[in-house]
Amino acid sequence: MAVQKLARIGIVGAGAMGRGIAQLMAQCGCETLVFDLDRTASEGALAFVAGIWQRLVEKGRMTTSDAEAARARLSQVDSLAKFARCDLVIEAIVERLDAKTALFCELETIVAQNTILATNTSSLSVTKIAAACTRPERVAGLHFFNPAPLMKLVEIVAGERTDPQVTAALAALIARTGHHGVTVGDTPGFLVNHAGRAYTTEALKILAEGVAAPVTIDAIARDAAGFRMGPFELLDLTGLDVSVPAMQTIYRGFYQEPRLRPVEIGRRRLAAGLLGRKTGEGFYRYADNGEQLPAESVEEQAGDLPDRVAIAGTDWAAERLAGWCKGLGVEIVDPSAETLTLVAPVGTDTATECARSYTDPQWTIGVDVCFGLDSHATLATNPATRPEVAGQALALARKNGAAASLVRDSAGLVLQRIVALIVNLACDIAQQAIARPADVDAAVKLALAYPRGPLQWGDAIGPGIVLEILDGLVETTGDPRYRPSPWLSRRAKLGLSLLREEP
Ligand SMILES: NC(=O)c1ccc[n+]([C@@H]2O[C@H](COP(=O)([O-])OP(=O)(O)OC[C@H]3O[C@@H](n4cnc5c(N)ncnc54)[C@H](O)[C@@H]3O)[C@@H](O)[C@H]2O)c1
C-alpha cells in the first residue's frame, strides 16, 4: 500500500488521550483536526492545549512564534466528514470494541483509500478492529501513554493484516514528534503492559505468602534494585481497579499462561474497595491532600553483633557471601554448634539450603547475594530460626551503615524472584517476536521507568545466574510460572547476551 508523508491528521476523541496526542501532532508540524461527539470536549481540548503552550512560552521552553504556529495548525471540526483529506486518523474514543469498529467503518466511507486508521486502544485487539474494515491492511495501533506529550514511548501495533508500510509510516511520524516508537505485535498487553506484569504480580505473590510487609518489599525494591517506586506504591498509584483487570485480561489472553497468573489477594482487595490513592487507602493510607501516611513501622531490632560467623556451601554464591562477611570484618569459621550460620539461596529458600548443607536451622539465616549486599540486604529466616540469631544477622548486615531487612523464608527471597521474572518475561516477549530485544529494553525503560532494560539487566546479573534462580524456583516451588523461557536458557547455556538475536 503506497503511503505518503503523514501531514494532515484527524483525531477522534478529545479526552485525556486525544488532547495530548493533538498537542504532539500540531507541535511537530502536522495540520491537526479534532472531533469529539461532545463538542464541549473538543473545545475544552483546544483551550487546554493552548494553555499548555502558553505556559511553555512563559517558562521559555517554547518560542512565541512556535506556539502561534502550532495553534494555527490545530482546529476542531463538527463532523467526521471534515476528515476526508486526512492522511491519518487516530482514534482515542471510549475503550469499547463495538464503538471503535463502528467508527472505523464510518471513517472508511469518508477518507481516501490510502488513509491510515490508527487506534489508541490499550487493551483491545487491533486485529479485531481491523477485521471489521474493508481494508484491514491500513489499520494499526498507535498506543500512546498518559500524558501523551510527556511519555516518550509509543507502541506501533501491527495487526495480523497490517501493511508493513503503514507501520513504517507511523514510525516515521513518531520519530518526527521526538518520541520513541517501537513496533510490536498485536498480542494481549502489546509489549509494555505484558512486560510490566512481573513486577507487581510477583510482589503480590510475595505478600500473599506472608514473606514480608508491603513497606519492606517496597524499600528493598527501591534501595537494592533501584526501582523508582516500590511495587505496592506503584499499585496504589495506578489503582487496583486498573491493575487487576489488566492482569486478568492479559492472563486470559495468553490462555492461562502460568507466568502471567494473577494473585488472588489483588482481586480480594479490589472487592474491598482498597484501590489505592484514589480511595484514600490501598497498601498505604493517604491523607485528604494525597500525602502518603507513614506505614506502621516493621523495622526489626538488631541484636548483638556476632564476632564470628559460619558460611555453609562452596559454590559462587557462598564465595560471594564470604567476601561480604570479610568486608564486614567478621571472622569466618567452620559451621559448629551455636554459631550464626549463613547460607546463600539462589532461587531456593533458606530451609532447602539448611537441609542441603546439614546446618542447624535454629542458627541459620539466608542472605540474598544477588541484590543489595551493600545497600539494603535481604535476610531470610526459616521456620526454626531463633529470634536472637535473626537479631545477630541483622546487626552484622547493618554493621557498616547499610540497611537490612528480615523476611520470612521465600524461594528466591524477594528481589531474585521479582527481577528474574522481569527478565524472563522480557525474554519470552523476544522469543515470541512480539518486539525486537533492543525495543523491549527501550520500551520498558521509557514507559515503566525501570532502572535498566530487562534484557540488559539480565546480562548484568549474568544469564547463567538468572537461569539458576529460575531453575531453583521451579525446583523449590514446583510452580511453572517460574519456568525459564527458551530465549533465556539457550543464551545462558551458550554464554550469549540476552540481547542477541538469531540471524
Ligand atoms: N487514559 C489513559 O491513561 C490511556 C492510556 C493509553 C490509552 N488509552 C486509550 O485511549 C482511548 C481514550 O481514552 P481516554 O482516557 O482519553 O478517554 P476519555 O474518556 O478521557 O475520552 C474519550 C473521549 O471520546 C469521546 N467519544 C466517545 N465516543 C466517541 C465517538 N464514537 N466519536 C467521537 N468521540 C467519542 C468522548 O466524548 C470523550 O471526550 C481509550 O481507548 C483508552 O483505552 C487511555
Side-chain angles (χ1 to χ4, degrees), residues 219-484:
I220 292 172
R222 283 192 315 264
D223 300 350
F227 286 99
R228 244 185 244 175
M229 265 193 206
F232 296 100
E233 292 165 326
L234 182 60
L235 284 167
D236 270 6
L237 181 69
T238 314
L240 288 187
D241 55 330
V242 174
S243 308
V244 170
M247 289 171 187
Q248 291 171 340
T249 306
I250 295 173
Y251 176 58
R252 281 197 291 262
F254 281 101
Y255 291 114
Q256 284 75 25
E257 161 58 58
R259 291 192 188 103
L260 301 164
R261 189 193 314 124
V263 182
E264 188 274 337
I265 194 174
R267 188 177 55 191
R268 200 175 350 133
R269 294 183 67 94
L270 170 62
L274 298 165
L275 305 192
R277 284 183 175 271
K278 60 184 83 167
T279 53
E281 186 176 357
F283 296 99
Y284 300 93
R285 290 172 183 271
Y286 300 88
D288 290 343
N289 64 3
E291 218 171 276
Q292 185 182 312
L293 300 171
E296 272 172 41
S297 175
V298 290
E299 172 100 343
E300 311 86 357
Q301 292 304 311
D304 296 334
L305 185 64
D307 49 13
R308 59 204 181 104
V309 65
I311 291 172
T314 51
D315 61 357
W316 66 268
E319 264 175 39
R320 205 178 271 188
L321 196 49
W324 180 61
C325 289
K326 276 186 200 137
L328 291 169
V330 63
E331 186 192 353
I332 301 173
V333 295
D334 288 335
S336 59
E338 311 213 334
T339 304
L340 168 62
T341 305
L342 302 180
V343 292
V346 177
T348 58
D349 58 13
T350 307
T352 303
E353 295 306 318
C354 262
R356 245 181 217 166
S357 53
Y358 303 105
T359 62
D360 179 349
Q362 297 187 76
W363 288 85
T364 306
I365 290 282
V367 181
D368 187 345
V369 293
C370 297
F371 296 93
L373 281 181
D374 301 320
S375 51
H376 191 140
T378 306
L379 311 177
T381 53
N382 68 72
T385 310
R386 291 179 178 216
E388 68 270 23
V389 173
Q392 283 186 18
L394 271 177
L396 178 66
R398 291 177 184 160
K399 187 180 168 212
N400 284 355
S405 290
L406 199 60
V407 302
R408 292 218 181 102
D409 208 1
S410 155
L413 296 105
V414 172
L415 277 176
Q416 285 180 21
R417 56 195 276 189
I418 289 179
V419 176
L421 282 205
I422 290 172
V423 175
N424 199 37
L425 214 47
C427 284
D428 218 54
I429 288 172
Q431 182 65 52
Q432 294 179 57
I434 294 170
R436 311 250 328 249
D439 284 346
V440 175
D441 270 10
V444 167
K445 272 196 289 186
L446 280 172
L448 301 175
Y450 287 2
R452 290 171 184 230
L455 299 174
Q456 184 208 24
W457 204 350
D459 278 350
I461 297 164
I465 292 180
V466 180
L467 182 61
E468 191 178 334
I469 294 171
L470 292 166
D471 284 342
L473 279 159
V474 172
E475 184 193 314
T476 313
T477 66
D479 190 339
R481 87 193 262 108
Y482 301 111
R483 73 194 194 289

Side-chain angles (χ1 to χ4, degrees), residues 8 33 35 77-86 106-107 109-111:
R8 192 176 156 92
L33 311 176
F35 172 75
V77 295
D78 53 13
S79 92
L80 285 177
K82 300 273 171 50
F83 286 172
R85 288 193 301 110
C86 282
E106 186 180 352
L107 283 168
T109 67
I110 295 168
V111 298

Side-chain angles (χ1 to χ4, degrees), residues 45-58 71:
L46 260 57
F48 176 82
V49 173
I52 288 186
W53 285 330
Q54 192 178 339
R55 279 196 296 283
L56 288 176
V57 169
E58 284 162 10
R71 200 171 307 159

Side-chain angles (χ1 to χ4, degrees), residues 201-209 263 417 479 481-482:
T201 311
E202 194 58 15
L204 282 170
K205 190 150 182 2
I206 292 170
L207 178 68
E209 289 172 18
V263 182
R417 56 195 276 189
D479 190 339
R481 87 193 262 108
Y482 301 111

